[in-house]
Amino acid sequence: MPKLTSSSTPLRRRAACLTKRDVLVLAVLAALAVTAIVLFLTIGVRGNIGYIMARRSAAVMSLVLVAIGIAVSTVVFQTLTANRILTPSIMGFDSLYVLIQTVAVQIFGAAGLAGLGAVPRFLIEVGLLLLLAVILYGRLLSGRADVTKLLLIGVVVGMLFRGLSNFVQRVMSPDVFLVLQDRMFASFSRVQADLLPWAATLVCTGLLLVLVDRRRLDVLALGPDLARGLGVDPDRLRVRLLAAVALMVAVSTALVGPVTFFGLLVAHLAYQLLSTQRHSIVLPAASLAAVVALVGGQLIIEHVLPFEASLSIIIELVGGLVFLALILRRSST
């Protein structure tokens, strides 16, 4: 990034300052994340330890990948849209995922999907989700459309996909619909180990794109006009970062299913806990908070709660309440 002018020196010095509160928050979140992972791997281990540890290691890796992908993509998306109450799911990814599953089950059936293989099915789903981003948001990527149009298109497209999904589901036979029900909601316990190397590679690629531009993100958060004055091209930056967001959201959605409000929950928590808005601090804080929420939540559901529950339902409930609270706070100011 080009060197800032002397007029921006106070801003640069303020951004370079890392308070004790921020260090403490990162340390506590890191400790909680490590503790949750260790407990998840070791608590209640009996019998064939090697088999159990292999299964739990795969589960932890999938939870961590999804946590980082959703947290980072949400923080970046909120910076690109200059809006703290939006998530990448507004782009229609969740609705498209449900439509893909609905059409696939209707056409191929459960036996046909099983014969296709987990890895090819995963890569096809990621490719279709990315194709949505390229087709619908190409105007934004080329700098010929604004973010408001992006959000409106996302809402309309999401409603269209949900309508098509409901139509196909109504003509399904009951036994086929039962197979679809397991695929319509996020599940953090049925991820196959064969998918993890592919998912890790794709998530790390998107994460690398974001980390390279983390300082430019701080400048972009000041506004596109000021960013241009400081030597940052907002249009080119949006191309790279929206592509990274689309990649991480597509992988996370294809891996575990749609999670609408989880990113909003952890991003808001990170901003509330920290005294800075620097992305080099907010991104790891949101990622650690997401890891604590997913791994710790799955641990509590499996070993503490006396009844069966779905982590995705709890996350959506809490995230939805946070979303409503943010909406009401904005409307009252």
Side-chain angles (χ1 to χ4, degrees), residues 67-304:
I68 295 176
I70 293 179
V72 172
S73 60
T74 301
V75 172
V76 173
F77 187 75
Q78 289 178 348
T79 300
L80 294 178
T81 58
N83 196 316
R84 295 282 180 84
I85 64 174
L86 296 179
T87 66
S89 61
I90 197 67
M91 299 168 71
F93 280 102
D94 293 354
S95 301
L96 178 60
Y97 175 83
V98 174
L99 178 61
I100 292 173
Q101 299 300 322
T102 302
V103 174
V105 171
Q106 176 69 3
I107 295 177
F108 300 104
L113 291 178
L116 181 61
V119 173
R121 187 171 67 247
F122 171 75
L123 295 178
I124 290 174
E125 292 173 357
V126 172
L128 290 174
L129 292 170
L130 287 176
L131 184 62
L132 166 74
V134 172
I135 293 176
L136 296 181
Y137 310 115
R139 285 175 58 86
L140 177 70
L141 294 179
S142 62
R144 293 193 297 268
D146 56 21
V147 175
T148 302
K149 291 183 179 180
L150 165 70
L151 303 180
L152 292 176
I153 291 173
V155 172
V156 174
V157 169
M159 294 175 62
L160 173 64
F161 289 157
R162 283 192 294 270
L164 292 175
S165 300
N166 291 332
F167 173 77
V168 177
Q169 292 167 18
R170 288 181 180 274
V171 300
M172 278 184 175
S173 60
D175 54 338
V176 175
F177 183 75
L178 289 176
V179 175
L180 174 64
Q181 276 188 317
D182 292 335
R183 300 176 176 271
M184 289 175 57
F185 304 98
S187 175
F188 301 99
S189 59
R190 66 173 184 226
V191 178
Q192 297 181 343
D194 295 342
L195 304 179
L196 296 180
W198 296 91
T201 301
L202 295 175
V203 170
C204 290
T205 300
L207 185 61
L208 181 61
L209 292 175
V210 172
L211 293 179
V212 168
D213 288 322
R214 65 189 186 279
R215 294 182 179 177
R216 294 182 177 89
L217 267 173
D218 295 335
V219 179
L220 183 62
L222 301 176
D225 295 334
L226 186 56
R228 289 189 182 93
L230 295 174
V232 175
D233 187 345
D235 295 333
R236 291 186 178 181
L237 187 60
R238 283 178 176 176
V239 170
R240 296 192 297 269
L241 293 180
L242 193 57
V245 168
L247 178 61
M248 288 186 286
V249 173
V251 172
S252 301
T253 305
L255 191 62
V256 300
V259 186
T260 305
F261 293 112
F262 179 64
L264 175 68
L265 182 63
V266 295
H268 181 68
L269 179 62
Y271 281 118
Q272 290 296 313
L273 292 176
L274 297 172
S275 62
T276 180
Q277 297 183 7
R278 291 174 56 200
H279 288 81
S280 58
I281 306 299
V282 175
L283 291 175
S287 299
L288 290 172
V291 171
V292 173
L294 288 188
V295 179
Q298 193 67 28
L299 176 67
I300 292 174
I301 287 177
E302 292 182 2
H303 299 283
V304 177

